[in-house]
Amino acid sequence: MTSTEISDGIIGYNSPFTVLPDPQIAAKIASSYKLASREYKPENSTVKIRDGVVFGKGSILIGGPCSVETEEQLAATVKGVKKCGAHMFRGGAFKPRTSPYSFQGLGIEGLKLMKKVSEEFNIPFVSEIMSEQHLPDFDRYVDMIQIGSRNMQNFDLLIKVAKLGKPILLKRGLSATLEEFLCAAEYILAAGNDQLVLCERGIRTYEQSTRNILDLNSLTLVKELSHIPIIADPSHAAGRSDIILPLSMGALAAGADGLMVEVHFRPEDALCDGRQSLTLGQFDELCKSIALRK
Ligand code: PEP
Ligand code: MN
């Protein structure tokens, strides 16, 4: 059968569902996502970045700047978060900014800087891809590829990134329902990549006092409906640094498999998201609170 044929309601030139490993089990699952569901796979999935950094086995903590700015900024921040106990760092080289006049990131130079700093401090990192033209660079430099909120339903990008076979961090879309989120995850699984971690980063509501609302309802439900690990990003949910600690504790209590938090060695000088970035001192406090909880 070619993928343009219609079979059992499955239509399309690029349908990844033609590779479903067990179509008979999948057919019995009522939801629009199959491989992502707990019915398909009852046991929790794990995603290994390297020895000692495994999502789905204890809390994984990711800290780092919104965007890579300079080697000094990156090295100081990464050295600091590692000392506090972070398992990975984050950093954006390609930034999806609302205004085209805002800092857009350092591009491939940023990826190279992260690779260098990652080797220097022996800590893996995650970074966001925005365009398929950068697939070879992400394949070469990055340990885990982030697909950001704005691209959660860029299905072509999801499939192409999935096919690299590298670990993926898929963030929930700004206004995506839980079902849409899990369907986006399904694209990645159906394209043959099960090295997937989800990230709840807050959704838009009428409330204006914070940037978004961290949706702990959905986070809890993901643990029920799916086997895929899910972490929380309280930084983009809050948009302000003063409530990151309680949001983090709440997310972990709700079952999150880890946290991704924005940290900057000098938040007041950050080129992007300084208002929501923790200082290294605040990040240390967060790490100590998490350790006490264990
Ligand atoms: C980010 O993590 O850098 C980011 C842009 O987040 P989001 O896609 O959740 O807005
Ligand atoms: Mn940011």
Side-chain angles (χ1 to χ4, degrees):
M1 182 180 85
T2 70
S3 58
T4 47
E5 284 179 60
I6 300 173
S7 162
D8 299 320
I10 296 165
I11 310 169
Y13 76 98
N14 195 19
S15 175
F17 298 103
T18 52
V19 299
L20 268 185
D22 205 330
Q24 267 151 12
I25 297 179
K28 289 188 196 136
I29 301 173
S31 57
S32 43
Y33 50 87
K34 314 282 179 192
L35 301 174
S37 74
R38 249 204 212 281
E39 286 158 283
Y40 195 87
K41 182 170 184 270
E43 66 281 5
N44 287 333
S45 289
T46 56
V47 176
K48 184 174 171 178
I49 308 299
R50 64 165 70 158
D51 283 342
V53 185
V54 183
F55 289 88
K57 278 190 183 171
S59 298
I60 294 292
L61 193 54
I62 308 172
C66 181
S67 56
V68 182
E69 298 161 6
T70 63
E71 185 166 351
E72 185 207 9
Q73 169 247 14
L74 186 66
T77 308
V78 171
K79 185 178 175 191
V81 297
K82 170 136 193 210
K83 198 165 154 228
C84 297
H87 304 91
M88 291 180 70
F89 76 90
R90 58 151 291 145
F94 297 90
K95 292 305 305 173
R97 302 306 300 278
T98 301
S99 167
Y101 306 114
S102 300
F103 176 59
Q104 305 285 308
L106 298 181
I108 293 165
E109 280 316 304
L111 295 185
K112 289 183 185 166
L113 268 180
M114 282 187 278
K115 178 77 178 163
K116 185 174 171 205
V117 167
S118 158
E119 282 171 358
E120 193 177 333
F121 296 106
N122 188 26
I123 175 170
F125 70 99
V126 57
S127 193
E128 176 172 354
I129 191 165
M130 296 226 305
S131 162
E132 67 172 88
Q133 64 172 311
H134 298 125
L135 284 167
D137 304 294
F138 276 76
D139 194 23
R140 178 163 174 202
Y141 298 116
V142 176
D143 299 294
M144 184 180 213
I145 304 178
Q146 176 173 317
I147 297 176
S149 297
R150 289 152 195 81
N151 276 310
M152 187 204 83
Q153 286 188 315
N154 183 344
F155 301 122
D156 210 38
L157 185 67
L158 297 184
I159 293 170
K160 287 191 169 112
V161 173
K163 285 185 173 164
L164 282 181
K166 287 203 153 200
I168 295 173
L169 182 65
L170 177 67
K171 298 190 82 174
R172 183 179 182 181
L174 307 155
S175 303
T177 64
L178 177 52
E179 188 183 359
E180 288 163 348
F181 191 20
L182 289 173
C183 279
E186 185 80 10
Y187 270 87
I188 291 169
L189 299 182
N193 189 335
D194 63 359
Q195 295 300 289
L196 175 62
V197 177
L198 303 175
C199 180
E200 162 56 41
R201 48 77 74 202
I203 50 169
R204 284 200 166 171
T205 73
Y206 53 81
E207 181 53 57
Q208 299 296 307
S209 53
T210 54
R211 192 171 172 181
N212 294 292
I213 297 288
L214 186 64
D215 183 5
L216 296 186
N217 297 14
S218 291
L219 191 144
T220 313
L221 275 174
V222 165
K223 300 299 302 176
E224 192 176 307
L225 297 171
S226 177
H227 53 86
I228 307 170
I230 180 164
I231 64 169
D233 170 352
S235 305
H236 290 89
R240 48 192 287 172
S241 59
D242 57 340
I243 57 171
I244 302 299
L245 196 150
L247 289 183
S248 299
M249 301 305 278
L252 292 174
D257 296 290
L259 300 169
M260 180 161 78
V261 179
E262 287 189 339
V263 186
H264 196 288
F265 82 138
R266 288 198 300 254
E268 65 281 9
D269 295 335
L271 294 178
C272 181
D273 285 349
R275 216 178 142 231
Q276 67 195 35
S277 299
L278 297 186
T279 61
L280 286 165
Q282 290 167 329
F283 187 69
D284 193 42
E285 198 188 327
L286 173 63
C287 293
K288 289 190 174 123
S289 306
I290 293 170
L292 281 180
R293 184 183 159 267
K294 278 182 188 161

